[in-house]
Amino acid sequence: SQELEQSPQSLIVQEGKNLTINCTSSKTLYGLYWYKQKYGEGLIFLMMLQKGGEEKSHEKITAKLDEKKQQSSLHITASQPSHAGIYLCGAEFYGGSQGNLIFGKGTKLSVKP
Amino acid sequence: NAGVMQNPRHLVRRRGQEARLRCSPMKGHSHVYWYRQLPEEGLKFMVYLQKENIIDESGMPKERFSAEFPKEGPSILRIQQVVRGDSAAYFCASSPIPGTYEQYFGPGTRLTVT
């Protein structure tokens, strides 16, 4: 079974609209990472969350980690075509190997101009 | 500060040949991680190395795959006798120390086995 579930699998939004991507874990997270991948390219680090209830923002992207540290959301405000890509959440778990990130399958975001 | 570098970016091999993928971590990073991304699947951890040491190879297939990170030079992921199922994007990441520090990813090597 997948340890990290992302939803939705894909998302198409009109430019200017807000959107949210979710990442849910079956186990308590030690650290949660959000990455963005453009088709055919590598991953770009966005944010890392570690504390329950933590929230971080970078430009128009906000990521939150719930108090129980089992769910994270990524929120984009006033989306732009440059936000298009695949968003991946990666996690470290308690008792897991250091540095071994488990990834969700990703959410493909398309932004229509 | 240059990012993580991988070469080649694209590699085509015939079944049975060997594939060598190279990764140069970011300056100052001594921890390297290899991941594989198969079509329609997520990114899967393969191996974690420090200089001259394999720390965790729990994601590596038992046969045909090997990895090294020598004292000098890039990290190498080696696939012997490639098969069509090895076709995938292989990503390398590096970090200054392991654990909760973010991993910086390279652009990947896309391996196609014909």
Side-chain angles (χ1 to χ4, degrees), chain A:
Chain A
S1 65
Q2 186 74 13
E3 291 182 278
L4 277 184
E5 294 284 347
Q6 281 189 243
S7 62
Q9 288 186 342
S10 64
L11 191 55
I12 302 173
V13 300
Q14 198 70 39
E15 183 177 355
K17 295 294 186 184
N18 302 336
L19 64 105
T20 300
I21 298 169
N22 294 302
C23 178
T24 304
S25 170
S26 56
K27 301 186 289 187
T28 302
L29 300 162
Y30 181 69
L32 190 286
Y33 302 74
W34 282 102
Y35 288 88
K36 178 184 174 186
Q37 183 181 25
K38 289 204 167 180
Y39 179 74
E41 298 181 16
L43 278 67
I44 300 168
F45 171 78
L46 295 175
M47 275 171 277
M48 179 190 77
L49 304 164
Q50 202 178 1
K51 298 176 183 174
E54 188 174 11
E55 180 176 319
K56 288 187 178 178
S57 292
H58 176 66
E59 297 180 344
K60 294 184 178 179
I61 301 176
T62 300
K64 301 178 186 179
L65 184 61
D66 73 333
E67 290 288 347
K68 289 186 178 179
K69 296 176 64 175
Q70 285 191 276
Q71 186 168 20
S72 179
S73 60
L74 187 82
H75 184 78
I76 299 177
T77 305
S79 58
Q80 300 170 354
S82 60
H83 287 128
I86 299 171
Y87 288 82
L88 293 160
C89 63
E92 288 183 282
F93 296 98
Y94 286 98
S97 301
Q98 273 191 327
N100 174 348
L101 290 182
I102 308 295
F103 282 90
K105 289 191 175 183
T107 295
K108 184 178 178 182
L109 171 64
S110 302
V111 179
K112 294 166 61 175

Side-chain angles (χ1 to χ4, degrees), chain B residues 3-36:
Chain B
V4 177
M5 298 175 67
Q6 288 187 251
N7 67 81
R9 292 292 306 275
H10 300 274
L11 182 61
V12 179
R13 285 286 179 265
R14 291 183 184 155
R15 277 180 299 171
Q17 290 185 320
E18 178 180 287
R20 280 188 179 232
L21 287 61
R22 294 175 186 77
C23 169
S24 297
M26 285 181 72
K27 190 176 180 182
H29 288 194
S30 57
H31 301 264
V32 165
Y33 315 82
W34 285 93
Y35 292 83
R36 177 165 65 174

